[in-house]
Amino acid sequence: MKGDLFSSQHVVRPAVEPGMSVENAKCVKYAVNGEMYARQGAMVAYRGDLRFERKGQGVGGMLKRAVTGEGLPLMAVRGQGEAWFAHEAQNCFIVEVEHGDQFTVNGRNVLCFDASLSYEIKTVKGSGIAGGGLFNSVFSGQGRLGLVCEGNPLVIPVSAQAPVYVDTDAVVGWTAHLQTSLHRSQSIGSMLRGGSGEAVQLMLQGEGFVVVRPSELTPQKAQQH
């Protein structure tokens, strides 16, 4: 079969350097030269000498399961080769985490990341019970973090003069040094009368940015994730 039967935009090209890149809107390519981590089950293709190992249980294993949600543990990918990762045809994008910075992200949006990054599970400050007891994964170190969300992500700058209010079902992540708290946009009377359906948001203050997906997580999707 001749290669020119396919559009050139669909033919993958060899990686020019190790690491992560966006292959297309729905897929991340990782040129592995050593070790990296990915959401278990997210690998859709690979070539080369690669080994995929499920993370075990124990305290470390429990944390690695928590980073991508219950029942979705991480896997280590080791060796030399190229691997492609995707999740439910969601859009892929990459966040660069610089040394000294931190990025907090909802576990359901994690696809893959460099082994040079470390993470821990933390409660979102100020979310409280009304915020669903929000838990996020806080990444630190220096490296690349591959994320997914439905639709093209919105990256909204946050400044001290202009806090940003986001729906807790639509937020993907934000620079971790931002201050978070719950904001009620309706009165109790308005809520009892039906309201707008947007009663409580997560307010972010400080200097940084927040990433939002252009749709809310439906109850059905929440159960699947």
Side-chain angles (χ1 to χ4, degrees), residues 33-65:
N33 183 22
E35 182 181 52
M36 55 86 61
Y37 294 97
R39 184 190 190 111
Q40 186 180 318
M43 186 273 293
V44 295
Y46 80 94
R47 61 186 174 191
D49 182 17
L50 295 177
R51 302 181 303 279
F52 300 83
E53 300 177 7
R54 176 185 293 196
K55 304 307 292 183
Q57 291 301 311
V59 175
M62 291 174 63
L63 288 177
K64 290 176 173 60
R65 287 176 65 85

Side-chain angles (χ1 to χ4, degrees), residues 20-21 94-97 112-114 116-117 142-146:
M20 185 187 309
S21 60
I94 294 174
V95 172
E96 297 271 1
V97 181
C112 58
F113 55 94
D114 291 340
S116 58
L117 292 177
Q142 185 166 359
R144 288 186 155 196
L145 173 62

Side-chain angles (χ1 to χ4, degrees), residues 17-93:
E17 60 182 12
M20 185 187 309
S21 60
V22 175
E23 183 69 64
N24 58 45
K26 307 293 184 182
C27 190
V28 163
K29 177 169 69 176
Y30 201 110
V32 185
N33 183 22
E35 182 181 52
M36 55 86 61
Y37 294 97
R39 184 190 190 111
Q40 186 180 318
M43 186 273 293
V44 295
Y46 80 94
R47 61 186 174 191
D49 182 17
L50 295 177
R51 302 181 303 279
F52 300 83
E53 300 177 7
R54 176 185 293 196
K55 304 307 292 183
Q57 291 301 311
V59 175
M62 291 174 63
L63 288 177
K64 290 176 173 60
R65 287 176 65 85
V67 75
T68 51
E70 184 179 354
L72 293 171
L74 293 175
M75 61 182 177
V77 184
R78 299 184 177 97
Q80 289 186 323
E82 293 176 311
W84 289 265
F85 300 97
H87 181 65
E88 297 181 349
Q90 295 186 18
N91 283 26
C92 300
F93 60 103

